[in-house]
């Protein structure tokens, strides 16, 4: 099972770009990388998913180097409402026992 | 289009009792997964239901059981409650259980407190 390692917490200020890096050295060939966001007392919310190179949607960008042993979630111009826990998941799909949620990265956005 | 709904929102039980939590998946989804999230930790996978059968199971004891109904809704049952079962229980739905990657939609969760 591919284990992920993320920073425990990060601080930022409103309007800044935030990059959260996740390490997954044992990623398998058929594994995808998925990021979720979770606010207190709410269920996680899907942000973005990718397999290689770069993926961008209206919320974030995901950068994956050629060796796929790490990935970086990029949040452009964060606001106070982006304060949340961000989880990096690696697995063949985004559900089931093969997909493990770690402790996540707690992002604090300050005014 | 209703998202994933869960009931009840909060629940307080006594050690040794039994509890049933309920989940209705997002419209168009037929696969339901249940997770347990202890305070300060990430969600831990309990099991997944598809076509009314348990398809995958995480590292949880048999005290945790579930059911999926023909309308794709699901129940999570926990018997002989322990203090350590206190957690946020999350239900997630998706359009299919395996194959190409897909995103899960999570409900707001049920906060279970065991005293």
């Amino acid at each position: 099972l591919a284990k992920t390692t993320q920073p425990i917490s990060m601080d930022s200020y409103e309007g800044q770009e935030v990059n959260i890096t996740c390490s997954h050295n044992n990623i398998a060939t058929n594994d995808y990388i998925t990021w979720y966001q979770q606010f207190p007392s709410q269920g996680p919310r899907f942000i973005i998913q990718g397999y290689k190179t770069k993926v961008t949607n209206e919320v974030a960008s995901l950068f994956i180097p050629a060796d796929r042993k790490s990935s970086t979630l990029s949040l452009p111009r964060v606001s106070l409402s982006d304060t949340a826990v961000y989880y990096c998941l690696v697995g063949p799909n985004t559900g089931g026992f093969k997909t493990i949620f770690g402790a996540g990265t707690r992002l604090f956005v300050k005014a | 289009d209703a998202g994933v709904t869960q009931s009840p929102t909060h629940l307080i039980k006594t050690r040794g009792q039994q509890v049933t939590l309920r989940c209705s998946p997002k419209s168009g989804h037929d696969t339901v997964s249940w997770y347990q999230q202890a305070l300060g930790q990430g969600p831990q996978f309990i099991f997944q239901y598809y076509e009314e059968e348990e398809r995958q199971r995480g590292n949880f004891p048999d005290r945790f059981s579930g059911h999926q109904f023909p309308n794709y809704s699901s129940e999570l049952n926990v018997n002989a409650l322990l203090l350590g079962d206190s957690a946020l229980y999350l239900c997630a739905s998706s359009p299919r259980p395996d194959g190409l990657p897909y995103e899960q939609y999570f409900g707001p969760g049920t906060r279970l407190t065991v005293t």
Side-chain angles (χ1 to χ4, degrees):
Chain A
L1 301 178
K3 180 182 176 181
T4 60
T5 303
Q6 305 174 232
I8 295 175
S9 65
M10 296 180 66
D11 289 345
S12 182
Y13 289 92
E14 281 190 295
Q16 289 188 331
E17 178 185 75
V18 171
N19 296 308
I20 306 174
T21 297
C22 178
S23 297
H24 29 79
N25 292 319
N26 296 323
I27 188 169
T29 303
N30 61 341
D31 284 345
Y32 283 73
I33 301 158
T34 310
W35 286 79
Y36 281 86
Q37 174 193 57
Q38 186 177 27
F39 299 111
S41 297
Q42 293 186 27
R45 182 178 72 99
F46 174 91
I47 301 176
I48 197 166
Q49 184 178 75
Y51 183 80
K52 61 180 180 181
T53 62
K54 176 184 175 181
V55 179
T56 298
N57 61 22
E58 65 279 4
V59 177
S61 294
L62 178 60
F63 299 91
I64 305 170
D67 65 5
R68 304 200 327 122
K69 293 183 182 299
S70 67
S71 59
T72 299
L73 174 71
S74 181
L75 304 173
R77 298 179 298 281
V78 294
S79 63
L80 296 177
S81 63
D82 292 318
T83 294
V85 178
Y86 292 82
Y87 295 99
C88 165
L89 281 69
V90 172
N93 57 47
T94 57
F97 73 96
K98 294 182 180 179
T99 304
I100 301 173
F101 281 84
T105 297
R106 297 180 182 276
L107 172 66
F108 296 95
V109 180
K110 306 173 186 177
Chain B
D1 178 23
V4 179
T5 60
Q6 293 186 244
S7 63
T9 305
H10 296 86
L11 202 54
I12 300 175
K13 288 287 188 177
T14 303
R15 190 172 43 185
Q17 286 187 318
Q18 178 266 344
V19 68
T20 297
L21 310 181
R22 296 176 176 81
C23 169
S24 291
K26 178 179 171 62
S27 177
H29 288 183
D30 56 11
T31 301
V32 173
S33 300
W34 286 91
Y35 293 81
Q36 179 195 65
Q37 185 172 26
L39 201 60
Q41 298 182 21
Q44 302 299 309
F45 175 76
I46 303 175
F47 42 52
Q48 182 185 76
Y49 276 84
Y50 173 65
E51 292 186 338
E52 301 181 47
E53 290 188 14
E54 182 182 297
R55 299 291 178 169
Q56 300 183 72
R57 189 178 182 92
N59 188 27
F60 278 81
D62 292 343
R63 298 187 297 109
F64 290 78
S65 63
H67 187 77
Q68 185 178 35
F69 300 94
N71 66 352
Y72 309 125
S73 66
S74 177
E75 287 183 350
L76 164 66
N77 301 293
V78 186
N79 295 321
L81 285 167
L82 304 174
L83 296 179
D85 295 331
S86 295
L88 181 67
Y89 287 85
L90 296 161
C91 170
S93 74
S94 51
R96 56 178 177 268
D98 214 335
L100 293 176
Y102 56 89
E103 60 187 81
Q104 289 189 104
Y105 289 82
F106 283 82
T110 293
R111 173 71 63 187
L112 172 64
T113 302
V114 182
T115 62

